[in-house]
Amino acid sequence: MYADKRILVVVPARGGSKGIPLKNLYPVGGRPLVARVGDLVRQLPWVDRSVVSTDHADIAKVARAAGLDAPFYRPPELSGDRVSDLEVLAQALRETERIDGTTYDVVVMLQPTSPLRRVEHVDATVRKLMDEHLDAVWTVSRTDPKYHPLKQLTLDNGRLGFWDAAGAGVIARQQLGEIFHRNGAAYAFTRGCLLEQGSILGGRSGAVVIEEPMVSIDTLEDIDEVESLLDRSPTEPRSRLPGTPSSIDCISTERTFVVDIDGVIATLVPDNDYRRAEPMHENIRAINALYKAGHRVVLFTARGSATGKNWDALTQAQLAAWGVRYHELRFGKPAADYYIDDRLIALHDALQLTGIGTE
């Protein structure tokens, strides 16, 4: 609670992302994206309630483990990629109020895809909303003048034109006013803004300008950029796997490592009931280190080879929840008691060979 107002945090995290499958469970800095939000929310003393709005059981499970609640599932009509933030927030607010039997005055939206946000960004957003009696506050970043709307062009049937006719009158950069773009770090809204005005901007809105880099994740390249920025952040320490050398002659070019899942990433289970498998964290750290060092990681599994049962969805969900970094997941490896290969090495050998640490 802040200034006698009850505050609800909503974390939108559907399971059907197309660019990166189960993107909200993808590991960044060693934690699934949705779990990173839970880690941050626990540091906000004024939060009265925090819920995840999802349609996916594994996202709900990871969110709960990170301190977020999942008291409802998002209905199918709000689970597509053309559903607006307003629709998701309004449904989450109404449903949480119904379950809790109370009314929330302020809703804060924290999208998992903005993992560079910090506590102070969210705190400043809510304080500005309350202290200045606004309807909505968004965090924004300055837009490079090179990408000003008046400098944008269209190409229609091969013919070039200005996106905005006023662009024809722009001669010097000094003619362009300063503009901003939303960076996704934090949004805050009054209840009336969402339910009465039916808007996420509202009649009276403000912004918190964030000067440091903010990345909203849509692609694997975005994740690599975030990882690089986290590496340079003093608040995101990295550790090395015990026993890994800090400097040896190592492979400097990209190599492909093919890794089995069961017995390497996941514990072996009776009767091949993979639902009971648990993560092998030390090995996962080693695999993630290979991935982060620029090597290609291919996971090749025999799950279902002997029985014909489809374990694809469960396996993908487990890998995401356990924070495994990889480039490709292959099914169809023959079921066998032993595998023999002319380039067979253990994970420890791979780390010694490359001379890298873990995240």
Side-chain angles (χ1 to χ4, degrees):
M1 186 171 288
Y2 178 74
D4 296 324
K5 303 294 184 183
R6 291 184 59 79
I7 300 177
L8 170 68
V9 171
V10 176
V11 180
R14 69 187 183 94
S17 50
K18 294 181 178 179
I20 305 175
L22 282 177
K23 176 172 62 177
N24 291 302
L25 288 180
Y26 208 90
V28 171
R31 291 282 281 164
L33 284 170
V34 72
R36 292 184 69 92
V37 183
D39 297 342
L40 182 140
V41 169
R42 291 199 302 272
Q43 302 175 62
L44 300 172
W46 38 258
V47 173
D48 295 289
R49 185 85 149 100
S50 56
V51 301
V52 63
S53 170
T54 187
D55 56 349
H56 198 282
D58 290 300
I59 292 177
K61 179 180 178 180
V62 172
R64 289 190 186 102
L68 302 172
D69 199 1
F72 58 86
Y73 279 100
R74 190 188 299 189
E77 62 270 20
L78 295 183
S79 297
D81 54 6
R82 294 184 178 273
V83 176
S84 69
D85 291 333
L86 176 62
E87 294 173 283
V88 171
L89 292 169
Q91 187 270 340
L93 173 58
R94 290 191 176 103
E95 188 65 9
T96 306
E97 289 185 339
R98 182 190 67 79
I99 293 169
D100 294 353
T102 191
T103 297
Y104 292 97
D105 304 292
V106 172
V107 176
V108 178
M109 179 170 69
L110 299 179
Q111 297 164 314
T113 48
S114 294
L116 294 176
R117 73 167 64 83
R118 299 202 307 270
V119 168
E120 52 264 40
H121 299 148
V122 185
D123 194 66
T125 302
V126 171
R127 291 184 184 279
K128 188 175 185 70
L129 179 89
M130 308 286 262
D131 295 348
E132 299 183 20
H133 306 289
L134 300 173
D135 297 317
V137 174
W138 300 5
T139 57
V140 300
S141 298
R142 301 179 195 276
T143 302
D144 189 317
K146 294 194 294 292
Y147 306 112
H148 194 286
L150 294 183
K151 299 188 74 173
Q152 303 307 304
L153 305 170
T154 60
L155 195 59
D156 187 10
N157 292 324
R159 302 302 296 268
L160 190 66
F162 286 102
W163 179 78
D164 187 321
V170 176
I171 299 174
R173 178 172 55 86
Q174 288 73 20
Q175 293 177 261
L176 301 173
E178 190 173 38
I179 60 170
F180 302 85
H181 59 273
R182 66 170 85 181
N183 56 37
Y187 300 81
F189 320 93
T190 63
R191 186 178 190 277
C193 181
L194 296 175
L195 299 186
E196 296 169 18
Q197 297 185 45
S199 171
I200 62 170
L201 193 59
R204 282 176 46 83
S205 298
V208 171
V209 180
I210 298 178
E211 301 294 350
E212 61 262 39
M214 284 287 128
V215 179
S216 181
I217 291 177
D218 289 313
T219 66
L220 290 174
E221 289 74 21
D222 293 332
I223 289 178
D224 290 339
E225 182 180 357
V226 169
E227 292 277 13
S228 178
L229 290 167
L230 290 176
D231 273 344
R232 299 199 295 267
S233 170
T235 62
E236 291 282 345
R238 292 293 188 268
S239 62
R240 299 184 65 84
L241 190 69
T244 301
S246 59
S247 60
I248 61 174
D249 292 335
C250 63
I251 294 176
S252 59
T253 57
E254 177 187 325
R255 293 291 188 269
T256 296
F257 292 87
V258 179
V259 183
D260 197 3
I261 292 180
D262 296 294
V264 179
I265 293 171
T267 56
L268 297 173
V269 292
D271 302 321
N272 291 333
D273 183 2
Y274 302 113
R275 294 169 298 181
R276 299 165 59 185
E278 296 293 333
M280 301 173 69
H281 294 293
E282 184 173 349
N283 286 354
I284 290 172
R285 287 195 294 271
I287 292 166
N288 289 350
L290 293 170
Y291 179 101
K292 191 167 183 201
H295 301 293
R296 181 171 176 77
V297 175
V298 178
L299 306 182
F300 195 16
T301 179
R303 288 185 172 188
S305 293
T307 63
K309 186 171 182 178
N310 190 321
W311 293 99
D312 296 27
L314 174 76
T315 302
Q316 292 175 19
Q318 286 176 334
L319 294 171
W322 298 342
V324 183
R325 304 295 301 274
Y326 62 94
H327 296 90
E328 185 179 353
L329 172 60
R330 296 182 186 176
F331 289 85
K333 183 177 179 180
D337 296 310
Y338 302 99
Y339 296 95
I340 302 170
D341 188 89
D342 64 324
R343 296 189 180 183
L344 184 65
I345 61 173
L347 278 174
H348 176 74
D349 299 326
L351 291 175
Q352 291 285 340
L353 187 65
T354 54
I356 57 177
T358 62
E359 53 180 32

